Each structure stands twice: as C-alpha cells, then as structure tokens.
Amino acid sequence: AQSVAQPEDQVNVAEGNPLTVKCTYSVSGNPYLFWYVQYPNRGLQFLLKYITGDNLVKGSYGFEAEFNKSQTSFHLKKPSALVSDSALYFCAVRDRGSGNTGKLIFGQGTTLQVKP
Amino acid sequence: NAGVMQNPRHLVRRRGQEARLRCSPMKGHSHVYWYRQLPEEGLKFMVYLQKENIIDESGMPKERFSAEFPKEGPSILRIQQVVRGDSAAYFCASSPLGDRLQETQYFGPGTRLLVL
C-alpha cells in the first residue's frame, strides 16, 4: 500500500539554526513529491515539488528538499529558521502510475516550532 | 488571480441535518479535488472531479456523501444526515488542465464542519 511517513510529530529549533523536517515514502516506482505548509486555521500552501532532474529542489521562503531514491526520502530543509516558519508541514506523494488520477497521499504532518 | 475559494469557512450542523460545502477553483483550473482532515491527522483524498464528471471517488464514504462539479458554478460536496464523526476540515484543491500528475494542486482555506 502507498504511504508517507513523517516520523516526527514536532520539531523544535532555535531561530537562525538550520532545520530539517523528515519524510519517507512507500510508493511503487518513482513518485512525484510535494511539501505543503499549513498555518493555523488556514489552507495548505505549496512550498516545492520534485518531478524529475536535480535531486535538490528549491522552493518558496528559502526552503529546499532533497530527493533520495535509495532511502526513499524527501526531507525538507532550510539553512536558517525564522520564528515565522512555525507551522504544520505536510509531505505528500503522487504515484506516477498511469491509473492514478492525480490524488495526493499525505503524511500525518510535522509541527515545526521555531523559538527566538 | 484569486485563489481557490471555499464557503462557508465554518459550518455548524446538528446530527441528521445536511451539509453543503462549496468550492470555486482558481480561474483556468479544470481539476477539482476534495480532501478531509480529521483532528490530529493528515489530509485524506475523497474525490476528484472535472466539469460535469466524477473521475475518481475511491476515497468517498459509500453512503451519505456526494460531490458534483456542474458546468456552471462551484463544486459542491454534500453530506446528508451528518453524524458527529463527520466533524472535520474539508479542503478543496484545484489544478490546471494539463498533465495532472505533474501539476501542483492549490488549496482553498477549507470548511470546518462541526456536528453537534
């Protein structure tokens, strides 16, 4: 069965320090990979996606993510965290199989807390 | 270009009543997806629609739930005879016509349904 795992419910980091939010997946073949961020009582905002090509993807607000095929991971990173980055982060995958209609499979989310 | 619009933002219903959730996709987008977010969980796919067609409803509960995307007007997610377990945030996402597997889905702010 297809699944996405975000092993940490919460990540705490001091402002100015680098941050990593982990994501691993279990999908047949090479999936498309996405990161979204959700602020309280808001919808999901798109951050970045991996489709093909360079394994390091750069996205909005200084975030980046690295696709690692051998480890089936797509960890989200930022060199220097801001307090305003505090939010709920979701990793999502989409199967490349021809039968897939485009639905996203989401992880359970990781709360990022950046402290001043 | 306005984003994905959803209304109402909050909806309170008593058990047994009907809930109607509306979604207007971004201008130029012809794919609409509905997801449900239960408390403390990630988003779960419900249904994928194009204009006047349900393409994939594999995530929809078998009873009481229905969805439509008419030729004119917003997409509607309808829940009949609501129960307390239907309390959740319901998100709509849209993507443009194209390779649906590569395209980014853009999310609305969600409708938070509370069943008393």
Side-chain angles (χ1 to χ4, degrees):
Chain A
Q2 302 170 353
S3 64
V4 178
Q6 294 180 241
E8 301 154 316
D9 289 337
Q10 182 158 329
V11 170
N12 297 308
V13 64
E15 187 175 31
N17 283 0
L19 69 87
T20 298
V21 183
K22 296 180 180 178
C23 172
T24 59
Y25 61 88
S26 175
V27 175
S28 58
N30 293 324
Y32 298 111
L33 299 158
F34 300 79
W35 275 101
Y36 286 86
V37 59
Q38 184 180 30
Y39 296 96
N41 296 316
R42 302 281 296 277
L44 277 68
Q45 295 180 28
F46 169 71
L47 281 179
L48 50 81
K49 66 181 178 183
Y50 172 78
I51 301 298
T52 189
D54 193 348
N55 288 345
L56 183 63
V57 178
K58 294 188 182 297
S60 306
Y61 313 119
F63 283 93
E64 59 188 28
E66 186 166 13
F67 170 58
N68 188 317
K69 182 178 180 179
S70 63
Q71 296 184 5
T72 62
S73 67
F74 190 56
H75 301 330
L76 181 70
K77 300 181 179 183
K78 186 173 182 179
S80 179
L82 299 173
V83 173
S84 58
D85 292 329
S86 299
L88 182 59
Y89 290 80
F90 288 101
C91 179
V93 303
R94 178 186 289 150
D95 190 352
R96 289 185 188 230
S98 60
N100 182 32
T101 53
K103 65 185 178 186
L104 292 170
I105 300 168
F106 283 87
Q108 68 270 36
T110 297
T111 298
L112 174 65
Q113 188 74 30
V114 182
K115 298 188 176 179
Chain B
N1 188 7
V4 178
M5 309 289 286
Q6 289 188 252
N7 66 80
R9 295 288 302 274
H10 299 274
L11 183 61
V12 179
R13 285 287 179 266
R14 297 191 179 278
R15 283 177 295 169
Q17 292 184 320
E18 178 180 284
R20 282 185 177 238
L21 288 61
R22 296 174 184 78
C23 169
S24 296
M26 290 179 68
K27 186 176 181 180
H29 286 195
S30 58
H31 303 284
V32 168
Y33 298 81
W34 285 93
Y35 294 84
R36 178 166 63 176
Q37 184 180 32
L38 295 170
E40 308 301 325
E41 293 187 16
L43 281 74
K44 304 292 186 186
F45 167 78
M46 298 182 75
V47 62
Y48 161 47
L49 310 102
Q50 294 179 16
K51 283 286 187 181
E52 299 184 280
N53 286 301
I54 296 174
I55 308 302
D56 179 1
E57 56 182 348
S58 59
M60 288 278 271
K62 299 301 181 187
E63 298 177 347
R64 301 187 297 107
F65 286 72
S66 62
E68 62 178 9
F69 189 14
K71 186 177 181 180
E72 302 290 338
S75 176
I76 306 287
L77 179 67
R78 182 183 178 201
I79 312 173
Q80 295 178 293
Q81 299 175 345
V82 297
V83 301
R84 287 196 174 140
D86 297 332
S87 296
Y90 292 82
F91 291 96
C92 167
S94 72
S95 65
L97 185 64
D99 183 343
R100 60 177 179 267
L101 296 186
Q102 294 195 16
E103 291 292 352
T104 299
Q105 291 179 15
Y106 294 91
F107 283 78
T111 294
R112 282 152 183 85
L113 173 65
L114 175 63
V115 179
L116 301 177

